Amino acid sequence: MIDSSVDYKNLPRPTWAEIDIDAILNNINEYKKALGNKVEIIVAAKGNGYGHGMLPIVKAINELDIYGFATGNMYEAIEMRKHGIDKPIQLFAHNFPETADLLVKYDLMPSFVKPGDAKAFADALGKDVALKVWVKCDTGLGRLGLLPEEVLPELEYIRNETSFKIEGLYSHIGPTDSDKNPKKDEYNEGQISCFNKIIDDIEAAGFEIPRYQLSSTYATQRYEKAWYNTVCIGTGVFANAKPQKDSCGLKLKDCLKGIHSRLISKKTLKAGSRCLNMLMENDRVIGVIPFGSCDGFSTRNAGGEVLLNGVRCKILAVCLEHTVLDITDVPDAEIGDVVTLLGQNGESRIDVSEYCERLGITVIEFWCSLSFHSFPHIYVREGQQQEEVISVSYTHLRAHETVL
């Protein structure tokens, strides 16, 4: 009942997520066509590729003509290097000067986000190390970054007191489409104006910064004037993510094609019987699939629905490794049939928005909740299964360090 390129009948644990690499490459190429040759793309691979699995995805993207990658997790950055990623890797702010030696060892670019960062890292590495760095300014989001009046002194310290090479200046437009901010256009326009003022000030001081980056997925599609010469795309790499006001008309695709499992048990419970803490008022057919809360499937999904042979079936309970279903309305169901938690099954479909609305979470939260340690994520390209990943393990960074 599903259209899949995955050889799911031979999976040791018959639950899987299917990731379409072609959709990801399509999305990046859509941005490239809109941006033209003068604007470079940084792909945000953070959060294990927004929950989709970083390594198989960045290895495919590495073939494309983009500037590089970004993540806030040095472990992820190092794994990229160890798996042959040779493009620049920008680190969003998170690491302390005590780990600065790893930046040099793996050719990573830190972000300086507060006064004194340049001095602290120069003290740790020595003033003769020509480390490439990014400087982040706060244009109004209020999260990370130098305040506008702090940017120039930090840049001057880098120029006068270190051998660091400034690779770029960046900021981040806030929630471009947040319904919680009715004045979002005014807010975003203010951030763009603030960034422009910072650029004017530092260029007047004689700085020639190679790259300016302000826009992410939604801002890139909404504010062409905020492209500068570099954009950083995250959500839009993985999904058909578009702002409420779209000036680009990109043809984006969702890369998460489906999350499926298989029926491992089917039994009829008579009226008066119990299923967990539920009393059966009528005869019911109960099915079980090997997918549960340990896989990132919230117990709050009880009362929701899955698809079996194209029919919606109620979720009765979510246990640690299993989910219990009422499959009474699917009399032809057999052990081994595919149960779809997300995606297409027969003529019916469940989209991620259904889960997000039920659970009160964002799409990104849903993606990142999925476990890589208990069920495989399978990557498909040009209609062929390419790679199966079931865990992420970080290797030794230094001889004395503990492996996660």
Side-chain angles (χ1 to χ4, degrees):
M1 297 295 287
I2 64 168
D3 180 15
S4 175
S5 301
V6 173
D7 181 20
Y8 58 82
K9 291 186 177 180
N10 292 312
L11 292 175
R13 186 176 183 227
T15 298
W16 71 98
E18 183 174 343
I19 313 289
D20 184 359
I21 294 293
D22 292 318
I24 291 170
L25 300 181
N26 167 82
N27 294 346
I28 295 174
N29 284 323
E30 282 290 302
Y31 275 100
K32 287 173 62 65
K33 285 189 292 184
L35 294 166
N37 297 326
K38 295 183 179 180
V39 181
E40 295 186 288
I41 294 176
I42 300 171
V43 168
K46 61 184 179 179
N48 194 25
Y50 282 69
H52 295 87
M54 179 189 71
L55 288 176
I57 290 170
V58 297
K59 285 189 287 186
I61 296 173
N62 199 50
E63 303 169 5
L64 301 181
D65 181 18
I66 65 164
Y67 167 75
F69 299 95
T71 176
N73 187 332
M74 191 187 289
Y75 288 113
E76 290 185 339
I78 292 170
E79 285 298 301
M80 282 193 259
R81 285 287 184 248
K82 289 188 173 184
H83 285 80
I85 302 303
D86 53 6
K87 295 186 186 301
I89 299 177
Q90 174 192 13
L91 283 173
F92 299 135
H94 84 291
N95 60 295
F96 290 101
E98 290 82 356
T99 60
D101 61 308
L102 296 172
L103 301 173
V104 177
K105 180 177 179 180
Y106 292 103
D107 189 21
L108 307 175
M109 301 178 295
S111 292
F112 293 166
V113 301
K114 61 184 183 298
D117 273 353
K119 182 180 187 305
F121 278 78
D123 289 346
L125 291 172
K127 293 187 177 182
D128 295 330
V129 175
L131 183 70
K132 290 182 178 180
V133 303
W134 283 75
V135 175
K136 184 170 187 178
C137 55
D138 183 356
T139 52
L141 183 62
R143 185 173 60 186
L144 289 168
L146 295 154
L147 296 174
E149 65 272 16
E150 297 170 339
V151 175
L152 189 54
E154 193 73 8
L155 293 178
E156 288 175 337
Y157 187 91
I158 295 172
R159 179 169 63 182
N160 299 329
E161 303 294 336
T162 79
S163 298
F164 296 158
K165 306 299 181 184
I166 302 171
E167 186 75 359
L169 176 79
Y170 76 110
S171 188
H172 183 64
I173 287 185
T176 311
D177 276 338
S178 174
D179 292 328
K180 298 178 181 179
N181 185 358
K183 295 184 177 180
K184 51 184 168 282
D185 282 315
E186 179 183 332
Y187 171 57
N188 297 145
E189 292 286 352
Q191 288 188 277
I192 294 170
S193 296
C194 181
F195 197 59
N196 287 338
K197 177 65 165 58
I198 293 171
I199 292 172
D200 289 342
D201 289 346
I202 64 178
E203 290 185 347
F207 285 92
E208 296 180 359
I209 307 295
R211 291 170 183 84
Y212 295 123
Q213 184 266 308
L214 178 63
S215 291
S216 54
T217 290
Y218 292 108
T220 298
Q221 295 180 67
R222 189 164 181 168
Y223 303 112
E224 182 175 346
K225 63 184 175 182
W227 291 353
Y228 302 96
N229 61 3
T230 309
V231 299
C232 183
I233 309 300
T235 311
V237 170
F238 305 97
N240 182 19
K242 293 185 177 181
Q244 294 167 0
K245 295 180 181 179
D246 177 11
S247 62
C248 289
L250 305 183
K251 298 177 181 178
L252 304 178
K253 299 179 180 180
D254 295 325
C255 76
L256 180 56
K257 307 308 291 185
I259 301 174
H260 308 281
S261 190
R262 297 178 71 191
L263 201 63
I264 60 171
S265 176
K266 174 185 176 182
K267 67 173 65 174
T268 299
L269 295 183
K270 298 294 185 181
S273 301
R274 287 194 172 272
C275 179
L276 301 175
N277 63 346
M278 295 166 284
L279 180 65
M280 300 294 101
E281 296 180 359
N282 304 297
D283 292 357
R284 310 304 295 175
V285 182
I286 303 300
V288 178
I289 57 172
F291 188 68
S293 59
C294 74
D295 304 298
F297 196 56
S298 172
T299 57
R300 291 184 293 150
N301 281 302
E305 295 174 327
V306 297
L307 300 175
L308 173 59
N309 296 350
V311 178
R312 283 182 170 262
C313 300
K314 185 178 179 180
I315 299 170
L316 296 178
V318 179
C319 306
L320 183 66
E321 292 184 318
H322 300 93
T323 291
V324 182
L325 311 172
D326 183 343
I327 61 172
T328 307
D329 293 336
V330 194
D332 61 341
E334 297 181 357
I335 301 299
D337 283 349
V338 173
V339 175
T340 296
L341 299 106
L342 177 71
Q344 192 80 24
N345 187 308
E347 299 299 319
S348 301
R349 182 173 184 82
I350 292 178
D351 290 318
V352 66
S353 59
E354 188 170 323
Y355 285 101
C356 294
E357 291 170 7
R358 181 189 309 127
L359 301 178
I361 61 175
T362 67
V363 173
I364 295 175
E365 285 180 273
F366 176 81
W367 291 338
C368 293
S369 69
L370 301 176
S371 171
F372 262 76
H373 299 276
S374 55
F375 73 101
H377 288 52
I378 299 176
Y379 300 86
V380 174
R381 187 170 183 181
E382 296 179 352
Q384 299 294 319
Q385 182 172 325
Q386 296 287 307
E387 191 168 357
E388 178 183 328
V389 178
I390 190 168
S391 66
V392 176
S393 59
Y394 296 120
T395 53
H396 286 284
L397 305 183
R398 303 187 186 95
H400 64 276
E401 290 183 348
T402 301
V403 179
L404 295 182

